[in-house]
Amino acid sequence: EITTRLVGSEMCIRDSEGTLQKLIGRNIRTVKELTLSGTLNAEDFHIIRNANHLHFLDISNCDLQYLPDSALAHCDSLKEVILPKGLVNTGDFTFVGCNLLEKVILPASVTEIGMKCFSGCQKLNPILLNNNLSIIRPGAFEQCCFTEIELPDKLEVISEETFKECVNLKSIVIPDKVTELRSKAFSGCSNLESVSLPSQVKRIGQELSLIHI
């Protein structure tokens, strides 16, 4: 069953894959809050990216384990997103250029954050990273402006440019299971003063030699 309900600026839809355009139509350019359930594909996310006034997106009840690359990239008005409950991988470039994005709720099922997933999200508040998360791809949080972030216990590698140009980041604690800090992981973090490292780290990016550890 597919249902569509529009109340004020909020639209609630039970969708089947690839049908979002037909269900929403021209309303997509005016809707401010959107709640979806069912299944979505890359075509549906293309429609969502055309929602010029969308502030809030709830896809927590969508049946998705992986987001398509650039799923919500350059959604200029988006401020808050609730991701699917069964999500495993956020995809690459997912929120690139979301300049107003403040809050993203990741489910406990996520094990991987994709490359440059939150790149350039300068208003993003610290994300609660669950303890099942083991992989953060290169550039995932580059140019974010949070002052702190708590990394999950299962994380083993800090990838290249993960926190590149996070200019407000002042200190960070690296989890005990991390064995490698890759090149330029903290490049351009001009206010980073302290990095707490576990004893088993075997490889450290060159730029950390300038930081008090």
Side-chain angles (χ1 to χ4, degrees):
E1 181 183 1
I2 301 174
T3 60
T4 305
R5 179 167 62 89
L6 179 64
V7 180
S9 63
E10 180 177 358
M11 182 173 286
C12 300
I13 296 176
R14 180 166 180 78
D15 187 33
S16 60
E17 186 174 295
T19 62
L20 202 55
Q21 171 67 50
K22 182 179 179 180
L23 288 170
I24 297 182
R26 294 181 179 178
N27 286 323
I28 195 61
R29 297 192 179 277
T30 58
V31 69
K32 295 181 179 179
E33 299 183 11
L34 184 60
T35 301
L36 301 173
S37 61
T39 57
L40 299 171
N41 63 12
E43 180 182 346
D44 295 317
F45 280 103
H46 175 73
I47 301 304
I48 295 172
R49 290 196 298 273
N50 288 328
N52 298 333
H53 300 284
L54 186 64
H55 297 325
F56 172 81
L57 176 65
D58 181 357
I59 53 175
S60 59
N61 290 316
C62 286
D63 185 16
L64 288 171
Q65 289 188 318
Y66 305 91
L67 293 181
D69 293 346
S70 304
L72 297 167
H74 303 289
C75 288
D76 295 337
S77 61
L78 196 58
K79 294 183 177 180
E80 182 175 351
V81 178
I82 306 176
L83 293 175
K85 294 175 183 176
L87 192 70
V88 175
N89 188 328
T90 65
D92 297 336
F93 310 104
T94 306
F95 297 101
V96 166
C98 292
N99 300 322
L100 298 181
L101 187 65
E102 298 175 355
K103 183 177 181 180
V104 175
I105 298 179
L106 292 176
S109 54
V110 170
T111 61
E112 180 174 339
I113 292 179
M115 182 170 63
K116 294 183 181 290
C117 182
F118 298 101
S119 177
C121 295
Q122 296 188 0
K123 291 196 174 183
L124 185 66
N125 293 316
I127 296 175
L128 180 61
L129 303 177
N130 71 79
N131 281 330
N132 290 318
L133 182 65
S134 59
I135 301 173
I136 300 178
R137 295 296 182 187
F141 294 103
E142 70 175 3
Q143 297 180 341
C144 288
C145 290
F146 42 67
T147 59
E148 60 182 1
I149 187 168
E150 185 174 348
L151 299 178
D153 293 338
K154 289 187 178 181
L155 193 65
E156 296 180 358
V157 175
I158 308 292
S159 296
E160 297 89 345
E161 301 183 349
T162 297
F163 298 103
K164 180 182 178 181
E165 297 178 6
C166 289
V167 295
N168 290 339
L169 190 63
K170 293 184 177 181
S171 65
I172 193 164
V173 177
I174 307 299
D176 289 341
K177 289 189 177 181
V178 171
T179 59
E180 185 175 352
L181 288 171
R182 292 185 176 168
S183 177
K184 299 182 179 179
F186 297 97
S187 175
C189 294
S190 53
N191 288 306
L192 185 60
E193 299 174 351
S194 176
V195 178
S196 177
L197 294 176
S199 59
Q200 57 265 48
V201 171
K202 298 176 182 178
R203 180 183 173 190
I204 299 176
Q206 186 176 12
E207 74 277 0
L208 283 181
S209 64
L210 302 177
I211 299 171
H212 176 64
I213 296 175

